[in-house]
Amino acid sequence: MVQTAFTRRSFVGAAGILALTGAAGCSANGSGSTATSSPAAKESLTIYVGAEPNSGFDPMTGYGSSGAYTFFHSRLLRFDKDMKLKGDLAKEWSISPDGLTYTYKLRDDVVFSDGNPLKASDIVFSYLTARDGGSSSLNLTKLAAAKAVDDHTVEFTLSEPYSSFESITGKLCIVPEAGYDEQKYRTNPIGSGPFKMVQWDKGQQVIIEPNEKYYGTISPFKQITVLFLDGEAALANAQSGLLDVAMVSPEYATASVNGMHLVSLPTIDTRGFNLPTQPETTKDGKTVGNNVTCDPAIRKALVIGVDRQAIIDNALNGIGTATTALITQVPWANPDCKFKDGRVDEAKKILEDAGWVAGPDGIRSKGGVRAEFSVTGRTDDLQRYNLAQAFAQEAEKLGIKINAMSEAWDKCKQMSENTPTCWGTGDYDPAGDLTGYYKTGASTNHAQYSNPIVDAHIDAAQRELSTEAAIEEWKKVQWDGTAGPESEKGDFPCIWLANIDHTYFVRDGLDLGDQLVHPHGHGWPVVCNIEDWTMKG
């Protein structure tokens, strides 16, 4: 087993994994024991690319909403390698000069996997269901109306200009209106995408095969089995020859797997911690705010003082790129948010000037408040706990005591307005990150950050009628020269540490094709182009 300094988990041996996969209905050739056929090795794949979708495979409840991956569905538009939008179901589209009307002309050769033609009415149904159902992760509150002009033309009307709507049409997958039932659909999806479901054994695997009616590239693999494992089990499966693709955390990336090679793919997938900006109080029966991180001096000392590369080396086996900003490598990233870190002496002076005095044990205090607080990482994501541990080590150099804990993800989120937690994010739409973390009252603003100047820039970015103008306004959200959450003169409601790489062991000879830059997605974005995967030789 490959261990970081913080790994404390026992390894499951190959014999145990064989027993585990046997119980899951997976034989050594990777086919499900209950499947009707056993394709030849080069005609089938067995892969592990992430955890099982908790709510199933229904886009109306959030499946595939990153815009990067989905087996069964199509979207109006799709993102390319440069994070620009191109046609998918839509062959052309236009936006009215006032930014209120979006019109999409559809391909005329699209059918669902059950043989029924896809029509504009299915687009309308999907968008209104996602808007009104309340369970979609996409913001469709500005969608006032949707109508089918004819079978191959759909028109959307917004209540006000909303520049992110075009990106939403590159994310929301389409379901058929006829026969749609939320409870049944999540376990038996019908779509117009490159694959169709053969069977889903919950908690174990899903088996898919090419959708012969798909209008795009038809996969050369007759069957693909997607296993649901944990990281150790996935590595052991790979080492036993049972997997063709195995997503692995950086802690396992230096392992040796015969017949496979490591593929490390760049991402915009950022990791960092929220730092509550308000003093501790009670709200709705729970503790919110933090009496240590509410001091801007503590936040600034951490942001400029910790050595991010040391954190990456210790927590991630050196796999990843240090970042001082929420977003990098995207057109809307503000270069003014990059700065040198590891400035320990400067960070100490900031603390001392603010009245944080070191005690006998080296930990600082101010006005009876000790510079000590807890942070959490997820129990189902050792990478985040390792980051919490490495972050704590760096903070102690500054005289700040951080206690790293591991908690279930639901509890991490429930506690996070008082106890910072490790967040993962990375979106093809700037609103997905910048609004969520920095707008007053937003869904992922667990730092309780509020800055009216930042809110005004967010609102202005969404009102812009051109992509170029919106990008410039999004940069001002981060830092406009005088105010903002980022840059070394910012407010620092969060400390961002690393852009992680997504790492996979891949069967020798298997070509994963032309991958997108991966967004956040816990390993799943690798299947963004799974229909293009081929076996060489």
Side-chain angles (χ1 to χ4, degrees):
M1 174 182 175
V2 179
Q3 281 194 320
T4 69
F6 312 117
T7 303
R8 298 290 185 270
R9 302 175 70 184
S10 59
F11 180 71
V12 180
I17 294 303
L18 286 171
L20 181 150
T21 54
C26 178
S27 62
N29 66 12
S31 63
S33 60
T34 56
T36 57
S37 62
S38 180
K42 287 192 176 182
E43 292 185 342
S44 67
L45 295 175
T46 302
I47 67 176
Y48 163 70
V49 294
E52 185 174 36
N54 289 330
S55 59
F57 298 91
D58 185 358
M60 302 299 97
T61 58
Y63 173 68
S65 61
S66 75
Y69 58 91
T70 176
F71 294 130
F72 311 115
H73 303 91
S74 306
R75 305 172 176 89
L76 282 170
L77 305 179
R78 64 189 304 173
F79 291 93
D80 65 14
K81 285 181 60 179
D82 299 317
M83 286 165 277
K84 294 181 179 179
L85 290 162
K86 61 182 182 180
D88 188 5
L89 291 174
K91 60 184 180 181
E92 59 183 80
W93 69 100
S94 61
I95 306 171
S96 63
D98 62 4
L100 296 178
T101 304
Y102 289 67
T103 304
Y104 294 79
K105 299 283 188 179
L106 308 180
R107 301 172 62 116
D108 59 9
D109 58 349
V110 182
V111 297
F112 291 106
S113 57
D114 63 0
N116 290 319
L118 183 146
K119 299 179 181 179
S121 57
D122 296 303
I123 309 288
V124 171
F125 173 79
S126 297
Y127 274 75
L128 296 183
T129 299
R131 182 195 68 181
D132 299 337
S135 55
S136 172
S137 59
L138 299 174
N139 182 1
L140 287 163
T141 57
K142 302 294 192 297
L143 177 59
K147 71 175 182 180
V149 178
D150 55 44
D151 281 350
H152 297 103
T153 308
V154 63
E155 182 180 278
F156 301 107
T157 303
L158 307 187
S159 58
E160 61 185 74
Y162 185 63
S163 63
S164 287
F165 185 76
E166 189 177 25
S167 292
I168 289 174
T169 65
K171 293 182 175 185
L172 184 62
C173 297
I174 304 305
V175 303
E177 180 178 15
Y180 174 81
D181 177 273
E182 180 180 323
Q183 295 305 315
K184 294 179 180 178
Y185 191 89
R186 66 180 60 191
T187 61
N188 185 31
I190 303 297
S192 56
F195 288 87
K196 58 186 180 181
M197 183 181 287
V198 176
Q199 70 182 57
W200 179 15
D201 303 313
K202 291 183 180 179
Q204 301 169 5
Q205 63 184 5
V206 63
I207 299 173
I208 64 175
E209 63 184 27
N211 174 13
E212 69 278 4
K213 300 177 178 65
Y214 182 51
Y215 52 88
T217 301
I218 304 296
S219 171
F221 299 104
K222 305 304 181 186
Q223 179 177 291
I224 297 176
T225 301
V226 186
L227 298 183
F228 303 125
L229 306 165
D230 63 27
E232 291 178 346
L235 178 61
N237 265 290
Q239 291 173 325
S240 298
L242 299 178
L243 285 172
D244 297 294
V245 176
M247 186 269 285
V248 290
S249 296
E251 60 177 318
Y252 302 128
T254 57
S256 176
V257 181
N258 289 335
M260 303 185 82
H261 59 282
L262 185 73
V263 173
S264 183
L265 296 171
T267 77
I268 56 171
D269 198 353
T270 308
R271 295 290 182 272
F273 293 81
N274 65 299
L275 299 173
T277 59
Q278 303 301 316
E280 191 172 302
T281 187
T282 300
K283 178 182 178 182
D284 299 329
K286 72 174 185 177
T287 301
V288 300
N290 186 295
N291 288 336
V292 179
T293 63
C294 70
D295 190 325
I298 290 284
R299 301 198 303 272
K300 182 168 185 177
L302 288 169
V303 167
I304 72 165
V306 302
D307 184 336
R308 288 165 175 79
Q309 188 58 53
I311 291 173
I312 292 168
D313 291 343
N314 286 333
L316 305 177
N317 265 343
I319 300 173
T321 304
T323 181
T324 56
L326 166 58
I327 52 176
T328 58
Q329 305 175 71
V330 294
W332 49 91
N334 188 334
D336 292 340
C337 297
K338 295 180 180 180
F339 52 88
K340 179 176 173 53
D341 65 359
R343 293 143 57 183
V344 173
D345 291 341
E346 187 177 340
K348 287 181 176 179
K349 187 174 189 308
I350 289 170
L351 292 168
E352 289 161 3
D353 290 348
W356 290 95
V357 179
D361 62 353
I363 304 305
R364 299 176 184 275
S365 62
K366 175 183 178 180
V369 177
R370 182 173 162 87
E372 180 175 2
F373 60 95
S374 297
V375 301
T376 60
R378 295 172 59 161
T379 52
D380 61 346
D381 188 342
L382 186 58
Q383 180 185 98
R384 296 198 196 195
Y385 178 63
N386 283 348
L387 282 166
Q389 288 272 40
F391 177 35
Q393 281 191 0
E394 285 296 306
E396 195 156 4
K397 298 176 183 178
L398 311 177
I400 299 172
K401 176 69 172 175
I402 293 178
N403 304 305
M405 305 185 301
S406 182
E407 298 285 357
W409 183 226
D410 283 346
K411 187 172 182 180
C412 289
K413 291 186 287 186
Q414 190 273 333
M415 297 167 57
S416 62
E417 291 187 355
N418 165 254
T419 304
T421 196
C422 186
W423 296 97
T425 190
D427 202 304
Y428 290 152
D429 176 8
D433 290 323
L434 295 173
T435 299
Y437 285 93
Y438 296 145
K439 187 173 176 62
T440 301
S443 59
T444 49
N445 186 354
H446 293 256
Q448 306 112 66
Y449 177 61
S450 182
N451 185 324
I453 297 173
V454 173
D455 291 346
H457 285 309
I458 290 172
D459 292 341
Q462 294 290 22
R463 289 194 301 268
E464 289 291 354
L465 301 182
S466 75
T467 299
E468 294 74 19
I471 284 175
E472 291 308 307
E473 201 64 48
W474 285 120
K475 291 179 180 179
K476 293 178 182 178
V477 170
Q478 301 155 65
W479 180 250
D480 68 2
T482 59
E486 299 186 3
S487 97
E488 60 184 311
K489 296 181 180 179
D491 298 323
F492 316 118
C494 301
I495 179 169
W496 302 108
L497 301 174
N499 282 119
I500 66 169
D501 288 351
H502 290 172
T503 47
Y504 308 83
F505 281 111
V506 178
R507 176 73 53 207
D508 292 344
L510 178 61
D511 185 347
L512 301 185
D514 208 7
Q515 290 278 314
L516 301 177
V517 175
H518 287 191
H520 181 58
H522 298 275
W524 278 94
V526 73
V527 303
C528 64
N529 64 338
I530 192 170
E531 68 272 20
D532 296 328
W533 293 8
T534 57
M535 187 69 78
K536 307 296 184 183

